[in-house]
């Protein structure tokens, strides 16, 4: 069974793939170009030789004598022009049609003449046999004419034409080869003409080995049958040795030719397969380059190219277009709740939904749960509302929100990257804003956007030219209200924009991964301030430093801190590391390592903003902190919400149970301060005790007795 499978494959019985089919077909037709060209030259030469050798004949005598050469020449010419046209080397179809018509007429003339001249006394079968090459030539010319009339555009469906032409031409070649050689043999000469034509035909019939094996086999048999009488005669004259030898030679020759045609086929098939896999690989690469790997829709590379083309196209009315930035809010919670896999499936479904709602517009996934669209401004809001309703209708236990920012490109040379960035910025402005789901980029937004760009572009200058100031906010013991420490908070005093608060620059610097520059600057200033105070002989309180999660990724934060305490000679327990709860939810590898290192080094670590996120209690369970800073959101409606005190009390007790100290932030009223003190919260921080202030102000207040320095041990 296997052998039969192999044989059918080797002989070309198996169906080719589309690519292999076209490849073989084309190489075969390319071969036909050269082969038919050679035949034309040869035949022209034969015709000239014939005329030169027989001077003084009449035209009809020349004509009759040269009909075979003419047929051969004409068929080669037809095949030549057909192949050249098929491959596309020559574009005009007129020449081909005229040629085909001329050959048809010439062939008819030759047929009529042959029948007319030789008709007398000949049986019909011999007559038909006598014009067999005329018939083939006629078929070739007719086929070519039809080809030019109907299908001059190249299409794989017409491959059959190419192969049929090659077969017909090969049959003519073989026929003449056999006839000429038999004529030669009968005069005791060689079979070279047959040999040449066999090789010739083998080259033209490569695309299906079984076809060439069949045609070559029949030709060999036919030749042998015609040759046999003279071989036999010769054999008898030579005493019986010749026939045996020649038969073997002949058989071996046949095998060689058949093997040759099969092996050329094999070679081409392998080349084609290699080519095909290369082409496939290229296609895959091309696709991957413009495809988003998670959702399968387009990626930003494609989107930017596509929208750039649309913007530049004079046919696009850009005044009616917007770039949309779409964002699913709170998607992280979805991931936390249902797992990463479900999150991915959700995003994929959402991507397809967006494509459905904007079927004719470029849509792409930018990153995470962010998508971009370039669409008509008129329907943009309405369409995003449709998606929003589906997103919200879909929600099960997780509260998801869907927001869109829009940016109208002001000119044709708008950079799509900047346009999507602006749309994204507009979208960021309505983050967590209830009942505000669509924001268009306007002048006011533009000012904010430029401020943002300014911040990103000027952080280095701000650090180098001392725009960054450190403010200190007092932290007091809840029982004595004595100062037990400070929190260092950054301020940016800018020559252009004036006073910038952290709310303006911290998120931007985090987004653009520049936050470590600011933090390194703040840490150094704090240490420098401390050293100066110590040198002045002042009593120093511990200062807590805010670390961004990115600090541990973007710089060697631990190394930096170690270097600073050594440089300024500061006791380790005078610096506390504040890490926000939200930092502990993703990409923990680096952070965990850093926390471990800090602990080994002897620093204390405080958990900032406890209760502001979603995974609070897990964080308490999984990590060791010295102090828990309870987020000020618990105090926002302390008086009105009866649950708030209960929850606060519970958290403080819980912290105590698991061996952590607690601090409550945002204390603004005496009432809350007293409550917290009663509940056992050790430290308090808030406007009640003081806003963040410059070092000089803090020193003045200590000096004037507003803050009393605690006698308690400073540790923790
Ligand atoms: P945070 O770490 O939670 O800092 C406390 C914030 O609450 C400070 O805002 C402070 O001024 C404010 N605050 C303190 N007491 C009260 C109060 O009684 N009522 C009210 N309403 N607010 C109070 P600020 O200074 O604007 O800082 C905001 C946030 O910016 C900080 O929140 C911190 O996350 C971040 N941040 C500030 N400085 C830095 C820094 O140097 N590095 C890093 N990475 N982040 C910083
Ligand atoms: Ca803090
Ligand atoms: Ca905080």
């Amino acid at each position: 069974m296997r052998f039969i499978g192999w044989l059918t494959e080797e002989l070309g019985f198996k169906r080719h793939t589309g690519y292999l089919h076209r490849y073989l077909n084309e190489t075969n037709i390319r071969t036909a170009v050269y082969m038919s060209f050679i035949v034309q030259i040869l035949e022209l030469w034969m015709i000239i030789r014939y005329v030169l050798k027989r001077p003084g004949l009449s035209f009809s005598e020349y004509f009759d004598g040269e009909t075979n050469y003419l047929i051969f020449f004409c068929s080669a010419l037809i095949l030549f022009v057909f192949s050249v046209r098929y491959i596309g080397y020559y574009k005009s179809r007129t020449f081909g049609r005229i040629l085909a018509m001329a050959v048809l007429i010439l062939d008819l003339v030759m047929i009529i003449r042959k029948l007319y001249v030789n008709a007398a006394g000949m049986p019909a079968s011999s007559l038909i046999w006598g014009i067999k090459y005329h018939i083939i030539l006629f078929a070739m010319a007719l086929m070519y004419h039809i080809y030019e009339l109907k299908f001059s555009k190249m299409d794989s469906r017409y491959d059959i034409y190419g192969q049929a032409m090659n077969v017909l031409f090969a049959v003519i070649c073989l026929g003449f080869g056999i006839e000429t050689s038999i004529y030669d043999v009968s005069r005791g000469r060689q079979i070279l003409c047959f040999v040449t034509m066999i090789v010739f035909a083998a080259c033209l019939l490569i695309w299906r080995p079984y076809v060439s094996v069949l045609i070559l086999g029949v030709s060999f048999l036919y030749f042998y049958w015609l040759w046999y009488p003279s071989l036999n005669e010769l054999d008898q004259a030579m005493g019986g040795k010749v026939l045996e030898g020649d038969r073997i030679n002949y058989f071996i020759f046949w095998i060689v030719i058949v093997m040759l045609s099969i092996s050329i086929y094999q070679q081409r098939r392998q080349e084609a397969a290699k080519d095909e896999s290369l082409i496939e690989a290229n296609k895959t690469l091309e696709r991957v380059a413009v495809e988003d790997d998670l959702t399968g829709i387009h990626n930003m590379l494609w989107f930017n190219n596509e929208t750039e083309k649309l913007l530049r196209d004079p046919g696009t009315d850009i005044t009616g277009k917007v770039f949309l930035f779409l964002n699913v809010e709170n998607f992280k919670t979805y991931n936390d709740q249902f797992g990463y896999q479900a999150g991915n499936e959700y995003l994929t479904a959402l991507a397809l939904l967006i494509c459905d709602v904007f079927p004719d517009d470029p849509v792409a996934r930018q990153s995470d749960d962010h998508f971009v669209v370039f669409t008509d401004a008129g329907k943009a809001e309405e369409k995003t509302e449709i998606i929003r309703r589906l997103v919200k209708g879909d929600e099960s236990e997780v509260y998801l929100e869907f927001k869109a920012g829009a940016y109208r490109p002001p000119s044709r040379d708008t950079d799509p990257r900047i346009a999507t960035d602006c749309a994204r910025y507009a979208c960021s402005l309505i983050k967590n804003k209830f009942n505000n789901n669509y924001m268009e980029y306007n002048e006011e937004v533009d000012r904010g956007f430029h401020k943002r760009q300014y911040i990103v572009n000027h952080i280095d200058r701000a650090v180098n030219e001392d725009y960054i100031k450190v403010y200190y906010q007092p932290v007091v013991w809840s029982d004595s209200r004595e100062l037990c420490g400070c929190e260092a908070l950054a301020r940016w005093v800018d020559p252009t924009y004036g006073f910038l608060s952290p709310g303006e620059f911290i998120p931007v610097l985090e987004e653009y991964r520049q936050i470590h520059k600011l933090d390194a600057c703040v840490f150094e200033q704090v240490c420098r301030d401390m050293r100066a105070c110590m040198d002045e002989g002042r009593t120093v309180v511990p200062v807590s430093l805010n670390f961004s999660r990115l600090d541990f990724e973007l710089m060697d934060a631990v190394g930096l801190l170690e270097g600073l305490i050594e440089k300024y000679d500061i006791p380790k327990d005078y610096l506390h590391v504040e890490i926000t709860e939200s930092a502990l939810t993703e990409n923990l590898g680096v952070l965990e390592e850093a926390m471990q290192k800090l602990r080994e080094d002897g620093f204390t670590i405080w958990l900032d903003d406890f209760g502001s996120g979603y995974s609070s209690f897990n964080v308490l369970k999984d990590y060791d902190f010295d102090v828990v800073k309870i987020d000020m959101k618990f105090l926002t409606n302390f008086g009105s919400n009866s649950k708030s005190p209960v929850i606060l009390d519970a958290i403080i007790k819980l912290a105590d149970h698991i061996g952590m100290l607690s601090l409550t932030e945002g204390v603004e009223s005496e009432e809350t301060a007293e409550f917290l003190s009663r509940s056992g919260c050790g430290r308090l921080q808030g406007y009640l005790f003081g806003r963040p202030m410059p070092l000089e102000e803090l020193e003045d207040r200590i000096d004037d007795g507003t803050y009393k320095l605690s006698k308690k041990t400073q540790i923790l």
Side-chain angles (χ1 to χ4, degrees):
M1 248 7 241
R2 255 220 189 129
F3 173 73
I4 293 185
W6 171 81
L7 196 68
T8 48
E9 173 132 29
E10 297 301 294
L11 288 176
F13 282 106
K14 283 230 170 98
R15 246 186 103 78
H16 293 147
T17 62
Y19 182 83
L20 181 63
H21 185 73
R22 273 193 304 281
Y23 184 92
L24 288 172
N25 193 46
E26 255 188 55
T27 40
N28 233 25
I29 290 181
R30 258 174 237 279
T31 313
V33 175
Y34 305 114
M35 294 292 184
S36 56
F37 182 72
I38 294 168
V39 171
Q40 285 174 72
I41 303 289
L42 278 177
E43 293 315 297
L44 265 182
W45 180 55
M46 297 301 267
I47 292 170
I48 293 169
R49 208 178 69 142
Y50 186 92
V51 174
L52 291 181
K53 270 197 169 174
R54 298 170 181 76
L57 297 185
S58 69
F59 178 77
S60 56
E61 282 167 324
Y62 281 132
F63 188 74
D64 289 341
E66 288 185 312
T67 44
N68 279 355
Y69 298 139
L70 268 177
I71 290 172
F72 214 178
F73 177 79
C74 287
S75 59
L77 184 61
I78 293 273
L79 184 67
F80 180 75
V81 180
F82 167 81
S83 323
V84 165
R85 287 272 297 121
Y86 191 98
I87 288 169
Y89 288 165
Y90 178 66
K91 294 276 180 277
S92 161
R93 58 165 78 174
T94 324
F95 176 73
R97 277 195 220 164
I98 296 173
L99 173 75
M101 197 45 85
V103 170
L104 280 176
I105 293 168
L106 177 67
D107 196 33
L108 271 179
V109 170
M110 288 194 283
I111 290 173
I112 293 167
R113 177 151 181 88
K114 201 157 215 169
L115 294 179
Y116 176 76
V117 172
N118 303 319
M122 262 205 159
S125 57
S126 317
L127 265 180
I128 293 193
W129 187 244
I131 59 164
K132 56 186 180 298
Y133 299 120
H134 292 282
I135 295 173
I136 297 176
L137 176 62
F138 197 85
M140 280 183 77
L142 193 65
M143 269 180 74
Y144 179 46
H145 198 69
I146 295 171
Y147 173 83
E148 284 294 13
L149 278 180
K150 288 184 98 173
F151 329 106
S152 57
K153 245 197 294 153
M154 201 167 96
D155 189 313
S156 59
R157 273 176 303 158
Y158 315 130
D159 290 351
I160 187 71
Y161 272 74
Q163 306 313 346
M165 292 288 237
N166 275 7
V167 169
L168 291 176
F169 185 67
V171 169
I172 295 185
C173 291
L174 287 170
F176 283 126
I178 290 170
E179 282 178 15
T180 312
S181 287
I182 288 299
Y183 178 79
D184 284 345
V185 162
S186 69
R187 277 166 182 68
R189 295 197 292 241
Q190 27 60 24
I191 58 167
L192 259 182
C193 190
F194 173 68
V195 172
T196 317
M197 291 303 156
I198 276 286
V199 174
F200 222 89
C203 293
L204 284 174
L205 302 174
I206 291 304
W207 97 112
R208 289 279 187 199
Y210 73 89
V211 176
S212 47
V213 168
L214 195 75
I215 293 180
L216 298 178
V218 168
S219 314
F220 266 87
L221 277 177
Y222 181 53
F223 185 81
Y224 187 78
W225 179 66
L226 293 175
W227 188 20
Y228 183 76
S230 32
L231 261 187
N232 208 15
E233 207 175 284
L234 201 64
D235 190 51
Q236 271 162 13
M238 302 289 282
K241 292 272 177 253
V242 182
L243 184 59
E244 187 61 20
D246 276 357
R247 222 186 243 156
I248 292 169
N249 289 349
Y250 191 70
F251 181 70
I252 288 172
F253 179 50
W254 177 74
I255 301 255
V256 167
I257 290 289
V258 165
M259 290 320 291
L260 193 75
S261 73
I262 292 180
S263 84
I264 295 177
Y265 168 77
Q266 283 306 324
Q267 209 174 323
R268 286 198 188 161
R269 206 173 63 173
Q270 272 170 17
E271 277 165 22
K274 235 186 260 169
D275 257 33
E276 189 173 14
S277 53
L278 265 181
I279 287 172
E280 277 301 313
N282 270 338
K283 271 194 204 149
T284 314
L285 279 181
E286 271 170 31
R287 210 191 52 227
V288 165
V290 297
E291 195 182 274
D292 173 54
D293 45 2
L294 175 70
T295 60
I297 70 169
H298 286 116
N299 64 11
M300 289 309 287
L301 181 75
W302 177 88
F303 183 82
N304 291 335
N305 276 337
E306 203 62 19
T307 47
E308 193 164 284
K309 266 189 254 155
L310 284 171
L311 284 170
R312 308 287 183 272
D313 180 2
T316 315
D317 171 21
I318 66 155
T319 52
K321 291 283 182 188
V322 274
F323 281 87
L324 291 182
F325 179 88
L326 309 174
N327 177 30
V328 184
E329 252 171 36
N330 204 20
F331 189 70
K332 231 180 88 19
T333 324
Y334 190 94
N335 266 339
D336 289 345
Q337 192 122 345
F338 300 111
Y340 215 64
Q341 183 60 30
N344 287 349
E345 281 163 19
Y346 186 93
L347 286 180
T348 309
L350 178 64
L352 297 178
L353 171 67
I354 297 172
C355 290
D356 271 356
V357 175
F358 296 95
D360 304 319
D361 301 318
V363 176
R365 172 160 168 261
Q366 197 206 39
S367 59
D368 311 319
D369 46 10
H370 307 149
F371 297 87
V372 287
V373 184
F374 181 65
T375 186
D376 293 327
K379 289 254 165 72
E381 188 168 359
E382 194 182 309
K383 286 187 169 182
T384 50
E385 187 54 32
I386 295 176
I387 302 173
R388 199 180 83 86
R389 255 183 262 129
L390 288 168
V391 166
K392 295 196 66 72
D394 209 35
E395 95 200 18
S396 31
E397 290 140 68
V398 175
Y399 177 85
L400 292 179
E401 194 45 276
F402 187 73
K403 306 251 163 154
Y407 178 78
R408 290 175 190 259
S411 67
R412 289 205 182 278
D413 46 73
T414 305
D415 184 341
R417 278 157 283 259
I418 293 177
T420 42
D421 218 23
C422 291
R424 180 196 179 117
Y425 178 64
C427 189
S428 75
L429 296 177
I430 47 172
K431 194 172 176 179
N432 295 328
K433 297 237 166 91
F434 178 67
N435 256 351
N436 197 350
N437 306 312
Y438 187 88
M439 177 78 183
E440 197 162 317
Y441 192 95
N442 54 30
E443 253 178 57
E444 194 192 325
V445 176
D446 190 55
R447 275 195 294 277
F449 186 70
H450 281 111
K451 203 177 200 175
R452 241 167 65 107
Q453 298 300 103
Y454 179 88
I455 288 167
V456 179
N457 294 334
H458 288 78
I459 175 64
D460 290 317
R461 175 180 276 201
V463 165
N464 293 329
E465 303 190 5
D466 288 340
Y467 300 168
I468 306 296
K469 310 281 179 216
V470 178
Y471 276 39
Y472 294 91
Q473 185 176 30
V475 179
V476 300
W477 293 116
S478 68
D479 45 9
S480 63
R481 306 286 170 92
E482 286 170 341
L483 187 70
C484 67
C486 287
E487 177 173 9
L489 294 158
R491 300 290 180 263
W492 178 323
V493 185
D494 191 80
T496 313
Y497 282 100
F499 191 87
L500 298 174
S501 67
E504 286 175 288
F505 58 84
I506 301 267
V508 181
L509 293 175
E510 288 194 323
E511 189 180 332
Y512 287 88
R513 302 173 74 85
Q514 303 287 318
I515 185 72
H516 58 297
K517 296 179 177 170
L518 175 102
D519 282 343
C521 168
V522 169
F523 302 165
E524 172 126 28
Q525 273 191 49
V526 168
C527 293
R528 205 185 307 133
D529 286 349
M530 238 184 215
R531 180 76 263 153
C533 287
M534 288 173 173
D535 289 348
E536 283 174 30
R538 288 178 167 280
T539 314
V540 185
V541 290
V543 175
S544 51
L545 303 171
N546 286 288
F547 277 71
S548 163
R549 183 176 64 85
L550 290 171
D551 287 340
F552 300 103
E553 280 177 36
L554 299 171
M555 64 178 175
D556 175 16
V558 182
L560 177 81
L561 216 54
E562 287 167 351
L564 286 174
I565 56 165
E566 204 178 308
K567 180 174 169 190
Y568 293 99
D569 190 19
I570 289 167
K572 271 178 192 150
D573 41 14
Y574 273 71
L575 292 179
H576 305 310
V577 173
E578 282 193 18
I579 294 172
T580 55
E581 181 198 296
S582 59
L584 293 159
T585 49
E586 50 190 78
N587 198 9
L588 279 175
V590 199
L591 186 59
E592 261 174 311
E593 231 172 77
M595 283 170 60
Q596 181 71 25
K597 191 93 205 310
L598 285 168
R599 217 161 254 302
E600 283 164 14
D601 279 356
F603 291 102
T604 46
I605 308 179
W606 292 17
L607 174 63
D608 199 0
D609 298 343
F610 177 78
S612 63
Y614 297 93
S615 46
S616 310
F617 289 104
N618 281 336
V619 168
L620 287 186
K621 177 167 67 67
D622 296 341
Y623 304 93
D624 286 330
F625 291 97
D626 302 290
V627 176
V628 181
K629 287 187 89 173
I630 300 165
D631 196 71
M632 64 185 82
K633 95 170 177 202
F634 290 106
L635 297 185
T636 41
N637 43 14
F638 187 78
S640 54
N641 189 337
S642 60
K643 286 185 199 156
S644 288
V646 183
I647 296 175
L648 262 174
D649 191 58
I651 294 176
I652 293 163
K653 302 252 151 51
L654 175 79
D656 189 40
H657 279 317
I658 54 177
M660 291 184 195
L661 298 173
S662 51
L663 183 161
T664 307
E665 302 186 80
V667 181
E668 291 180 355
S669 72
E670 192 56 46
E671 181 205 352
T672 41
E674 265 161 32
F675 167 80
L676 289 164
S677 177
R678 276 199 308 278
S679 287
C681 179
R683 289 174 167 90
L684 304 177
Q685 179 184 350
Y687 292 171
L688 179 67
F689 311 105
R691 292 180 178 251
M693 59 191 97
L695 181 66
E696 301 75 42
E697 200 179 323
L698 183 69
E699 285 175 349
D700 290 348
R701 300 243 201 130
I702 294 174
D703 291 345
D704 70 16
T706 314
Y707 299 121
K708 292 193 183 55
L709 288 173
S710 168
K711 301 278 179 308
K712 266 197 218 177
T713 162
Q714 302 294 345
I715 318 292
L716 298 183

